[in-house]
Structure formats: C-alpha cells, structure tokens
Amino acid sequence: LLLGSLFSTTTRSQFSADTGVGKTMFGLGVGFAMGLGADFLHWQGRRPARVLILDGEMPGELIKSRLASAAGWFNGQSPDDLFLLSREDVASMPPLDTPEGAVWLLDFIEKLGGIDFGIFDNIAALTTGCLKEEDGAQAVKNLQRDLTARRIGQLWLHHTGHDASRGYGAKMREWWLDTAMVAEKLDQ
C-alpha cells in the first residue's frame, strides 16, 4: 500500500472530471503524498515511494506553478523521488496506446531505476486512439497489465464528456481497473 487502502503498487485506477475541475491538481497531490509518504485528503500515507507523473499537455510555466501549489499543501516539501515528465520535454514521445509508446515508457522507467506508481495526465493527451471506440481502450490495456506485472500502480486521469457522471468514451476502458472515480464541480 502507498496511500490509504486505495492506492498500491498494483492499483489500476482512473480519475475522470470535466475540464477545470482539478484532475491535474488531484494527481499532483496524490503524487506528492506518495513521494513523501504523507497523508492526503482522507488517505493515510504509508511510505515514501518513487512516483512518475507523465503529463501530455501542460506548458512548462504552468507545470512550475502547479508544482509550487502542490508543495504548499505539504509545508513546502517536494519528494526526492517524484519525477515529472512533460510531452513538452520529449516532443518525440510516442503515444502510449502504441507498441512503440509502451516500449518507450517501460525503457524510461527502467532508466529511472524503477518506480512504484505512475500518474498519467491525461488519456486523451497521451494516446491517439479513438476514445469513443473499444479499440482505443483495448490498446492501453496491455500496457496497464505490463505495469501491474512490474508492481507499478497507476492513476490515469481522464476527461468526462457531455455526460459528466462518467469518463468519456468506451465503458470497457474501466473493466480492467480496480477503481473508476468521477469528480464533480461544487457550486461553493
């Protein structure tokens, strides 16, 4: 276990929300907490972990400001073993729903010396398959299973569509996950 009873080195989870609700900040909070072995929200920190956050769309300036905000939640601390890589850093990063993308990611993780948990922000920005169709979801399934076999837990951030009560696209994307969460915007 890495954070509460929900997130472990074999967890496969998805967190979906509408644009602007806070998917990225949620992912950063989870990553910081795991990296520090600290509590977050109502989840108890278990131990410091090695965490990779792979971002598919944020510019560097925005990443820096969001990292500073997340560090503020943890008394200004940043984990030593929290790695953040943006598509902006590696423009040639292949989509993760391709065999080349899976090989690239697994090689990158090996070069880091391994990780305990990966946060992928977000499915639409890190893949190229059609999110509405089952083929797009099927292509990521093998990568998710490979990560689990290596004892790398996963949090995949995803958008909702017109129906904000569920992740966008093929429902089968959630079939092989442990947890599928959906955030709602509060009026307050």
Side-chain angles (χ1 to χ4, degrees):
L1 293 173
L2 299 174
L3 187 61
S5 297
L6 178 59
F7 295 112
S8 72
T9 58
T10 57
T11 296
R12 287 191 298 245
S13 57
Q14 178 178 296
F15 181 79
S16 302
D18 201 3
T19 301
V21 172
K23 291 181 296 295
T24 296
M25 294 310 296
F26 175 77
L28 286 173
V30 167
F32 267 68
M34 286 182 189
L36 293 167
D39 296 350
F40 181 63
L41 300 175
H42 64 277
W43 295 304
Q44 178 185 7
R46 302 297 181 148
R47 64 169 176 86
R50 295 175 56 83
V51 180
L52 169 65
I53 299 175
L54 189 58
D55 179 81
E57 61 187 355
M58 275 195 300
E61 303 80 36
L62 184 55
I63 288 173
K64 287 177 186 175
S65 70
R66 291 191 174 178
L67 285 171
S69 293
W73 300 339
F74 298 92
N75 299 317
Q77 294 181 10
S78 293
D80 291 334
D81 287 329
L82 175 69
F83 308 97
L84 192 145
L85 183 66
S86 169
R87 181 176 292 285
E88 193 172 272
D89 298 324
V90 184
S92 62
M93 178 191 312
L96 298 183
D97 58 344
T98 64
E100 298 79 18
V103 167
W104 176 87
L105 178 62
L106 296 173
D107 286 348
F108 182 77
I109 290 170
E110 188 174 317
K111 288 175 187 168
L112 287 177
I115 61 170
D116 298 303
F117 203 87
I119 299 171
F120 303 94
D121 188 6
N122 61 60
I123 292 173
L126 295 170
T127 64
T128 57
C130 179
L131 298 177
K132 288 174 67 173
E133 304 300 326
E134 293 181 1
D135 289 350
Q138 194 73 13
V140 176
K141 179 176 73 171
N142 291 336
L143 173 59
Q144 290 172 329
R145 287 183 173 166
D146 283 349
L147 291 168
T148 300
R150 289 171 167 76
R151 299 302 184 256
I152 299 171
Q154 303 151 58
L155 173 61
W156 294 81
L157 304 182
H158 191 40
H159 292 276
T160 58
H162 295 294
D163 179 358
S165 69
R166 60 187 288 287
Y168 177 77
K171 180 74 174 157
M172 74 173 294
R173 178 180 319 285
E174 300 172 0
W175 290 356
W176 46 84
L177 300 175
D178 303 315
T179 306
M181 302 169 272
V182 178
E184 298 175 355
K185 185 174 184 173
L186 299 177
D187 293 332
Q188 305 165 355

